[in-house]
Amino acid sequence: MDLRHLRYFLCVAEEMHFGRAARRLGISQPPLSQQIRALEDELGVRLFDRTSRRVKLTEAGMLFAPEARQTLAQADHAAQTARRAQRGEIGHLALGFTPSGPFVQIVGNALSRFRDAHPEVQLSLQERGRDEQIARVEEGELDIGLIRGSTKPCLPKGMVSRCLITEDMLLAVRADHPLAVRPADPQIADLADVPLVLYAPAIGAGFNEHFLALCDHAGFQPRIAHEASSFATLLGLVSAGFGATILARSLERLHIDTLVYRRLDAPVTSRLLMIHRADLSPTAHAFRAVIEAEAACHG
């Protein structure tokens, strides 16, 4: 059934006059009469009683009219839904991030702005390590991943990456730690005999390897006292004096009374990278635009 037939029928039903309905629709009267007749033939019922003096809905026509209105309204709603989905205004967005990701200012700002602009998009936020994010983006379980690394990651075919920010890393130690109070900025070599708290390998993939390579270049094997499975555990262990750790500079804004952040004399950098498949969904495309705008503002 052609939706146009329904619109023609309702216009005639409202005007109760084929001539007025035709003028309202912007067509001549004979084609309108033909379309109404075609609809009646398709349904196998008469919708109008016609005389030379008046047009009147039949009982079937009176019962058909509200159903036709509902059908047209649903069709219009379906079309609007499709358009909104294409603009990324509705739908689903699965976003992966490193444990510290939400604490990075551009990430927090982007999430806030995106939710304000796209309140009907269902957000799924998943804390994952680098390798797991890459695998889930490739499989389509994540739309976008936010990972840490010192170099561009090796990605499967069909995936791309973009560096959002590059920032120095800081040494975080308990306030009464010797490296917290010494005048000179510490160097990597100063960590040779210091117990360290790092992320577990699956969580810290990328940065851990880079940090261990820096230690090897400085001539020592680091003393890893504990491996943390979450950002909260990492900070909790360091603030309790179980060891020192390395954090991205953007996390310096997190104030914990017992922690001190120290610059490293020879800067160690970390990159926050966005990864996704080349064929982004509309919602993922909308989020990428928001977070890239935030990165540009803080570049």
Side-chain angles (χ1 to χ4, degrees), residues 148-170:
R148 284 277 184 187
S150 58
T151 59
K152 186 175 182 179
C154 181
L155 297 175
K157 184 178 180 180
M159 286 178 59
V160 297
S161 68
R162 174 176 174 176
C163 179
L164 296 174
I165 54 171
T166 298
E167 54 186 334
D168 292 342
M169 304 295 285
L170 302 175

Side-chain angles (χ1 to χ4, degrees), residues 151-226:
T151 59
K152 186 175 182 179
C154 181
L155 297 175
K157 184 178 180 180
M159 286 178 59
V160 297
S161 68
R162 174 176 174 176
C163 179
L164 296 174
I165 54 171
T166 298
E167 54 186 334
D168 292 342
M169 304 295 285
L170 302 175
L171 179 69
V173 293
R174 185 178 165 89
D176 57 4
H177 193 281
L179 291 177
V181 296
R182 59 177 271 181
D185 290 335
Q187 301 181 19
I188 292 292
D190 295 323
L191 303 178
D193 297 318
V194 174
L196 298 172
V197 180
L198 299 179
Y199 283 120
I203 303 293
F207 171 72
N208 282 11
E209 291 96 322
H210 178 57
F211 177 68
L212 295 177
L214 291 172
C215 294
D216 183 67
H217 186 264
F220 71 96
Q221 293 295 315
R223 292 175 52 193
I224 302 176
H226 294 277

Side-chain angles (χ1 to χ4, degrees), residues 9 13 45-48 57-66:
F9 161 75
V45 299
R46 281 189 306 109
L47 299 173
F48 295 100
L57 282 169
T58 64
E59 183 177 2
M62 287 188 287
L63 294 174
F64 182 66

Side-chain angles (χ1 to χ4, degrees), residues 98-108 231-232 235 250-251 253-254:
T98 61
S100 62
F103 297 97
V104 179
Q105 188 173 7
I106 68 167
V107 176
F231 183 56
L235 290 184
S250 60
L251 303 179
R253 52 201 287 260
L254 298 175

